[in-house]
Amino acid sequence: MAGVAQGFCDDLLREQLRPFNRFEATALHGSARAQSRYTAAMTTSIDTPVNRPDITIFHNNRCSNSRGALALLREHGIEPNIVDYIATPLTAPELAELVAHLGVPVRELLRSKEAQFKELGLDNVALGDAQLIQAVAQHPVLLNRPIVVTPKGAKLCRPPELVLELI
């Protein structure tokens, strides 16, 4: 009898842990219980990313490349320090430090298709790094993203898969 009970419990547990989506939950069960089961399944996972304060992503959630890089980090079990640089702009000294860490010219980090790029005359090659950094500090939308910094280095991760080189 114990084997039958164990088999029933195993089937019940398997059903409880079976992956499904909210559409399936509504279509099959149509209940608040099904919806809450879906929510619980989506928020409790043995694959929860580990908080890694030594990894930072300079992130803009409106950018698909930025969302993609963040998703890749999380898929690899990493929950980075997320800096929403639009909401909390970097200062000119912070930007200068980031550029130095990246080891690339400031111009490579600018979003040249932004309207402010042309309006501010940033296409003028006579402008120096300090002027470009100051413009980005005042207009953070000009900073290309995502930028990821890890113990292995820093990189502008466009396309997002470049983040894999840093983990």
Side-chain angles (χ1 to χ4, degrees):
M1 189 65 172
V4 173
Q6 181 63 42
F8 175 77
C9 289
D10 288 346
D11 289 344
L12 184 61
L13 182 60
R14 201 171 298 113
E15 173 60 25
Q16 290 292 321
L17 296 177
R18 180 180 64 84
F20 65 103
N21 62 46
R22 65 186 163 100
F23 303 109
E24 181 183 1
T26 303
L28 293 178
H29 306 288
S31 68
R33 181 174 165 264
Q35 288 293 334
S36 66
R37 182 173 152 227
Y38 168 76
T39 302
M42 294 307 290
T43 58
T44 58
S45 169
I46 58 171
D47 298 322
T48 303
V50 175
N51 189 13
R52 292 283 307 266
D54 61 331
I55 297 178
T56 298
I57 181 169
F58 293 91
H59 180 64
N60 180 347
N61 199 44
R62 296 182 69 191
C63 172
S64 62
N65 283 309
S66 198
R67 290 190 311 270
L70 181 57
L72 283 170
L73 288 170
R74 288 176 170 161
E75 285 172 15
H76 284 81
I78 298 168
E79 182 60 37
N81 175 37
I82 300 171
V83 176
D84 179 349
Y85 68 91
I86 300 293
T88 309
L90 300 171
T91 64
E94 289 170 331
L95 283 165
E97 183 179 341
L98 182 60
V99 169
H101 196 62
L102 286 161
V104 298
V106 177
R107 286 198 179 276
E108 284 187 25
L109 300 176
L110 297 180
R111 294 184 54 80
S112 59
K113 293 181 181 177
E114 290 293 330
Q116 292 171 335
F117 183 85
K118 294 268 191 225
E119 291 168 8
L120 297 170
L122 300 179
D123 52 347
N124 181 351
V125 293
L127 293 176
D129 287 352
Q131 293 166 305
L132 296 174
I133 287 171
Q134 191 60 45
V136 173
Q138 293 172 354
H139 306 278
V141 71
L142 292 169
L143 184 63
N144 220 337
R145 69 265 178 171
I147 296 173
V148 179
V149 180
T150 76
K152 289 186 176 181
K155 185 178 285 269
L156 173 63
C157 295
R158 295 178 74 87
E161 293 77 17
L162 289 176
V163 74
L164 300 175
E165 296 173 12
L166 296 172
I167 57 176

